[in-house]
Amino acid sequence: MRKAAGVEFPPREENIVPLFTPPQTQPISYPAAEDEALAVQASLQSDNSEMSLAEIQNAQGLADVLMEMLTALDPQNREDLNQEVIVDLVDQCRSYQTRVMNLVHSTS
């Protein structure tokens, strides 16, 4: 087992097919702090106290895909974390996390 930052990773099997990620074709852009703050404020103002079962299942599916992709990355290569698909999944998971937290707080 490989160990990085206190996390143990299982050894890679030699006969598995590697996960293919197409090369990045556009630069990664991150929202300005003001834009992000406005987006968070807007999401908090909307009624997030309800989520459909389909939305909850979608959030779980996104989190599962993100975990699989992160597991497939080389822990020594931090540049892999900047892949557009991973950045997009993280943003979507954060959005759902905010909605789930609001749902939990409104029902407790």
Side-chain angles (χ1 to χ4, degrees), residues 40-77:
V40 169
Q41 189 67 15
S43 69
L44 291 175
Q45 289 175 350
S46 64
D47 183 17
N48 288 328
S49 62
E50 294 184 18
M51 285 182 74
S52 69
L53 178 59
E55 289 176 304
I56 294 170
Q57 290 171 333
N58 189 41
Q60 180 64 49
L62 286 171
D64 290 344
V65 169
L66 179 60
M67 282 300 292
E68 284 183 37
M69 292 191 75
L70 292 175
T71 302
L73 295 178
D74 177 8
Q76 302 300 321
N77 187 359

